[in-house]
Amino acid sequence: MHQQNLDLFEPSSSSLSIEDKVLEVHRRLCSEYGCPSAYFHQLDPLGELISSLLSHRTRNRDSAHAYRNLCARFADWAAVRDAPVAEVEQAIAACTWPEQKAPRIQAVLKELTTRCNGQLSLDFLRDKSVSEARAWLESLPGVGPKTSAAVVSFSTLRGRALPVDSHHHRVAARLGLIPANLAVGPAHQVLERQLPEAWDAEQVYDNHQVIMRHGKEICTWRMPQCDRCVLLDLCPYGQARTTRPYAAAHRNISSAP
């Protein structure tokens, strides 16, 4: 993409408020992809935490493979904690940066052992509010907003939290729901506050799932399929990209020797 060209045009903008735009985006994407979305994990909170740490910058298929290998190789999380780091690294080789993730996972398990009187379980988070549970999780080494939200939402806690991955972040920025220069971490709080307070955990999960899927299938990083997008009339980025002046300029650039 030639981002500088997008700035040359003034696309038509939606007259909807941010709140109404969020609801309309959700409505259209749920119609496109189907809601409610089935939960893809049935992991307890600690299992989900380990799975989320493995998933950073890794394809779902590869992180799932790494998680299965880890569980098959070691009897329990205590065995993972106490194993030579090279063995953990070898078990999770399917994910990206196993040399970084292996010691991080062991550091988290050691910290949990210390804080929880030797118990390797996060089930006690059920007794905390979502904000308390997320704050507790984010006090662990290497755990940020995305991971804490994933544990609360995706695990059997089934809490009301909005994970924001790179796909979700990209779609939200192109739609103008967040500033383009807002990092993924701070975007969590902004995007979650835009959702109706009356929404339950399933609706918040649906919002993440359909926006993430749209980012993977249509609003891709390279060559987004704006002409197929059900959100085009709501999207300043897509409108600029599909204007005739921009399309002509893009063709000329693409065909240049």
Side-chain angles (χ1 to χ4, degrees):
M1 283 300 300
H2 300 274
Q3 179 64 46
Q4 65 273 22
N5 292 323
L6 296 181
D7 299 331
L8 299 176
F9 307 106
E10 292 292 335
S12 60
S13 59
S14 169
S15 61
L16 295 175
S17 67
I18 286 291
E19 292 77 12
D20 288 340
K21 189 173 186 177
V22 166
L23 289 175
E24 182 61 13
V25 166
H26 183 81
R27 184 191 69 78
R28 292 189 194 182
L29 293 184
C30 276
S31 178
E32 185 77 3
Y33 300 115
C35 289
S37 306
Y39 281 95
F40 62 89
H41 273 175
Q42 295 291 333
L43 298 177
D44 65 83
L46 180 52
E48 186 61 53
L49 174 58
I50 303 301
S51 174
S52 295
L53 291 172
L54 291 170
S55 73
H56 291 178
R57 297 294 183 180
T58 301
R59 293 180 179 178
N60 290 342
R61 178 188 61 189
D62 295 334
S63 62
H65 183 46
Y67 183 84
R68 288 194 299 270
N69 281 352
L70 193 65
C71 293
R73 182 155 184 170
F74 299 99
D76 53 26
W77 296 124
V80 174
R81 177 197 62 200
D82 299 335
V85 67
E87 291 187 15
V88 178
E89 182 180 335
Q90 185 179 36
I92 64 172
C95 70
T96 57
W97 306 315
E99 71 283 357
Q100 297 177 22
K101 292 177 180 178
R104 181 174 300 165
I105 287 170
Q106 289 187 310
V108 166
L109 292 171
K110 290 172 183 175
E111 182 70 13
L112 287 176
T113 301
T114 300
R115 292 195 196 184
C116 302
N117 298 318
Q119 298 297 311
L120 284 176
S121 172
L122 291 174
D123 289 346
F124 66 89
L125 293 178
R126 299 179 191 281
D127 299 325
K128 295 182 179 293
S129 68
V130 166
S131 60
E132 289 172 337
R134 292 188 64 180
W136 198 96
L137 288 164
E138 289 175 32
S139 69
L140 294 171
V143 176
K146 177 187 172 184
T147 301
S148 73
V151 173
V152 170
S153 176
F154 299 162
S155 79
T156 52
L157 292 175
R158 299 292 190 251
R160 188 187 185 281
L162 181 71
V164 178
D165 67 357
S166 59
H167 301 291
H168 192 145
H169 183 268
R170 180 174 60 253
V171 174
R174 288 176 176 176
L175 285 168
L177 300 179
I178 54 173
N181 62 353
L182 184 66
V184 174
H188 280 78
Q189 190 174 61
V190 175
L191 291 170
E192 191 166 300
R193 284 180 175 175
Q194 292 173 357
L195 303 181
E197 291 183 5
W199 277 13
D200 60 19
E202 173 67 47
Q203 289 170 299
V204 174
Y205 175 77
D206 286 342
N207 187 258
H208 165 69
Q209 287 295 105
V210 296
I211 293 178
M212 177 185 66
R213 182 172 174 184
H214 194 65
K216 285 183 174 181
E217 298 183 10
I218 301 296
C219 193
T220 51
W221 180 51
R222 291 179 177 168
M223 301 305 294
Q225 301 176 58
C226 298
D227 57 332
R228 293 182 53 204
C229 181
V230 297
L231 306 176
L232 181 58
D233 61 308
L234 302 176
C235 182
Y237 176 93
Q239 290 172 39
R241 190 174 179 273
T242 55
T243 57
R244 289 186 178 181
Y246 172 75
H250 185 66
R251 283 196 298 272
N252 291 337
I253 292 170
S254 298
S255 59

